[in-house]
Amino acid sequence: MPDRDPRPVLLIDMGGVFFTYAFQQALEHWAQAAGTPAQALHEAWRIDAPFDAFERGEIEPAAYLAHLRHLLHLELDDAQLTAGWNAIYGPVNTDLVRLLRTPDVRARFTAVVAVSNTNALHAPAWRRLYERDLDVFDTLVCSHEIDTTKPRPSFFDHICAAHQVPRERLVLVDDIPEVTCAAAALGLTTHTYTHITPLQSFLKFL
């Protein structure tokens, strides 16, 4: 790959880093809509093969909602299920937004890229909800749009190809240790996000 710019590409995870979310809110929304105990939904809910396939764009929203309806034993229509599915979002990380708008931080990277394991129902919701602050990113990479999820090598290789850099020039900030560990094993520089202060130090001494 041509070495046009020695600066790295910064990858910022969305859920858990750029914005907060709580899936419990979806379960509580569905429980209230269906008039069923929330605890029953907590016990039935799981991240399974159809969930993973949905995040890779392999199944359509209607098919996943039908699976969800069966999994949770809910008699809710697609609109009701979607409303709960998108009830998970909390505030944007304003400290991170301010940090990414800092000229000194921007100057250290050839691009700042939002990355997310997401799906065709969630992504439009958070794109609308956080629209005002998404301009801190040069591009957004969503798993369901590129048919692969992080930390699969193919996810990062998609970004490498787009920016014409090797994996060693990618810097990933993610809140899930298993993701950052796997990415580090692939050659990326990584930081497991817990709070803005450690991230500031990490970026300062890259």
Side-chain angles (χ1 to χ4, degrees):
M1 293 180 180
D3 191 17
R4 297 172 180 170
D5 191 327
R7 295 176 298 164
V9 176
L10 179 61
L11 314 181
I12 301 291
D13 178 46
M14 298 302 283
V17 180
F18 184 73
F19 56 73
T20 62
Y21 71 97
F23 199 79
Q24 177 180 345
Q25 293 172 189
L27 299 174
E28 292 174 353
H29 181 103
W30 290 326
Q32 183 175 8
T36 192
Q39 184 59 34
L41 301 188
H42 279 274
E43 293 171 357
W45 161 253
R46 62 181 179 273
I47 294 176
D48 53 13
F51 178 93
D52 291 338
F54 192 34
E55 290 205 325
R56 293 192 299 268
E58 296 172 358
I59 60 177
E60 295 297 320
Y64 183 73
L65 291 175
H67 166 73
L68 199 61
R69 187 178 292 111
H70 175 76
L71 175 69
L72 301 179
H73 307 289
L74 290 172
E75 295 185 3
L76 299 178
D77 61 28
D78 283 2
Q80 291 171 310
L81 286 172
T82 299
W85 187 248
N86 290 330
I88 67 174
Y89 297 107
V92 72
N93 186 339
T94 54
D95 290 332
L96 177 64
V97 171
R98 282 194 293 268
L99 179 65
L100 295 179
R101 292 195 191 282
T102 305
D104 179 57
V105 170
R106 297 290 307 192
R108 296 178 203 156
F109 302 97
T110 185
V112 179
V113 180
V115 295
S116 182
N117 286 352
T118 187
N119 56 71
L121 291 176
H122 274 160
W126 58 251
R127 283 177 186 264
R128 288 192 301 269
L129 187 59
Y130 306 112
E131 180 180 11
R132 185 181 66 178
D133 295 307
L134 289 177
D135 66 345
V136 298
F137 300 109
D138 297 299
T139 58
L140 280 72
V141 177
C142 297
S143 61
H144 70 291
E145 295 174 345
I146 64 169
D147 307 325
T148 186
T149 51
K150 56 184 170 68
R152 291 184 173 192
S154 53
F155 185 97
F156 301 117
D157 289 344
H158 173 90
I159 299 170
C160 288
H163 293 273
Q164 297 189 306
V165 296
R167 292 178 190 170
E168 290 74 18
R169 292 252 297 278
L170 300 183
V171 177
L172 172 67
V173 178
D174 198 290
D175 64 311
I176 301 176
E178 291 81 3
V179 171
T180 54
C181 287
L186 294 172
L188 282 71
T189 299
T190 65
H191 173 79
T192 303
Y193 184 84
T194 56
H195 188 267
I196 195 65
T197 302
L199 177 59
Q200 288 173 319
S201 298
F202 168 75
L203 295 181
K204 183 177 181 180
F205 292 106
L206 274 177

